[in-house]
Amino acid sequence: MATDKSAPLWERLERPAPAPRQTLSPQRIAMAAVAVADAEGLEAITMRRLATELGVAPMAPYRYVSGKDDLLELMVDHVYAGMRLPGGLGWRESLHALAVSTRELMLEHRWLAQLPPQAKLALTPSRMAVAEQSLMALDGLGLDPDMMMGVFRGVDAYVQGAMSYDSAVDEFMSEQSLSSGDELRTELAPLMAWHMRTGHYPAYEHYLRTATRKDDRQWQFDLGLNCLLDGIAARLKI
């Protein structure tokens, strides 16, 4: 498959392969790249490494992808392909399922929170399908198209933000060889103690002394998500 850089990746992949037999396919390429990224992170992904994993010549993957940007799009589409919202639910249940499924996907594939901007914004078929299902769940509620997109993007932004923060914490803990929230707090204790001694943060100090769910990320995520959905329902009267 000759690579025409002037056409979008997904348009190129829809074209029939010129040879009757192919040792590669977009699915094989994506699966191999995802496996490497899951095990070693995005920095381990190179076209040469990919060819090695696939057991093909270094230039062979270029029949389908023009470089790493295309490869990242292919990887994103591959992992989103299995994400489908259950049918027959109301708008709130559908968007709750969207948020939970996206979080689970990002927990399984940690590199999704570390994608460069082009890959984060990639309009892949599988991601478009998820967006379509989400918008359809909001259809018929009396919302105009801008409101529907705003609700969808608001829920998605909540998940992305929560997972980006968790990813940063996990990366810092890995770099510092920390294995628990208690160890993380011990690491940050000198700086935190200085802040508390200033007396400027009484509410935060109360949190530090009395909170019991500091490391319960699932509970924190669920609370924030339900507050967001409550706010959408109250604001839009749906």
Side-chain angles (χ1 to χ4, degrees):
M1 178 181 297
T3 301
D4 175 9
K5 293 184 180 181
S6 65
L9 169 66
W10 308 104
E11 179 182 338
R12 300 197 309 267
L13 293 181
E14 285 190 352
R15 298 172 184 169
R21 296 182 61 188
Q22 297 291 332
T23 58
L24 287 182
S25 68
Q27 291 74 25
R28 276 198 66 203
I29 292 171
M31 288 176 64
V34 166
V36 172
D38 285 348
E40 303 176 39
L42 282 181
E43 64 279 1
I45 297 293
T46 65
M47 297 300 287
R48 182 172 294 276
R49 171 68 184 278
L50 178 62
T52 299
E53 294 294 323
L54 291 165
V56 298
M59 296 303 292
Y62 287 97
R63 301 183 69 183
Y64 293 93
V65 293
S66 62
K68 190 168 181 177
D69 287 342
D70 276 1
L71 179 59
L72 291 177
E73 285 198 35
L74 205 61
M75 292 165 62
V76 169
D77 190 72
H78 179 73
V79 298
Y80 269 86
M83 186 174 161
R84 292 291 182 269
L85 302 185
L89 301 179
W91 74 268
R92 180 176 179 131
E93 292 78 10
S94 293
L95 293 187
H96 188 279
L98 166 70
V100 170
S101 296
T102 303
R103 181 175 186 266
E104 290 174 349
L105 192 70
M106 296 182 76
L107 286 172
E108 183 178 358
H109 307 288
R110 295 282 184 166
W111 49 270
L112 284 170
Q114 301 164 351
L115 290 169
Q118 180 172 330
K120 279 184 181 290
L121 299 174
L123 299 177
T124 80
S126 294
R127 292 185 76 185
M128 290 294 292
V130 171
E132 177 70 12
Q133 293 175 69
S134 302
L135 292 173
M136 287 298 295
L138 294 164
D139 196 24
L141 300 176
L143 305 180
D144 66 38
D146 289 321
M147 288 182 176
M148 291 168 61
M149 182 59 73
V151 170
F152 164 63
R153 290 187 62 188
V155 173
D156 186 63
Y158 170 74
V159 181
Q160 298 293 332
M163 295 308 296
S164 178
Y165 176 81
D166 286 351
S167 177
V169 171
D170 290 340
E171 186 173 353
F172 178 80
M173 291 179 64
S174 177
E175 290 173 353
Q176 302 300 318
S177 300
L178 307 174
S179 60
S180 69
D182 286 338
E183 290 185 6
L184 174 62
R185 285 183 285 277
T186 298
E187 176 76 13
L188 299 176
L191 178 58
M192 186 62 75
W194 180 87
H195 281 300
M196 294 304 105
R197 286 195 296 270
T198 68
H200 296 326
Y201 314 105
Y204 206 104
E205 184 173 7
H206 179 67
Y207 163 77
L208 291 174
R209 293 185 182 279
T210 63
T212 60
R213 295 181 179 270
K214 295 187 182 79
D215 300 320
D216 193 343
R217 294 183 182 180
Q218 182 69 61
W219 180 86
Q220 294 167 7
F221 179 85
D222 289 341
L223 175 66
L225 175 58
N226 284 317
C227 287
L228 173 61
L229 295 174
D230 286 346
I232 291 171
R235 171 83 180 191
L236 301 180
K237 297 180 174 58
I238 54 177

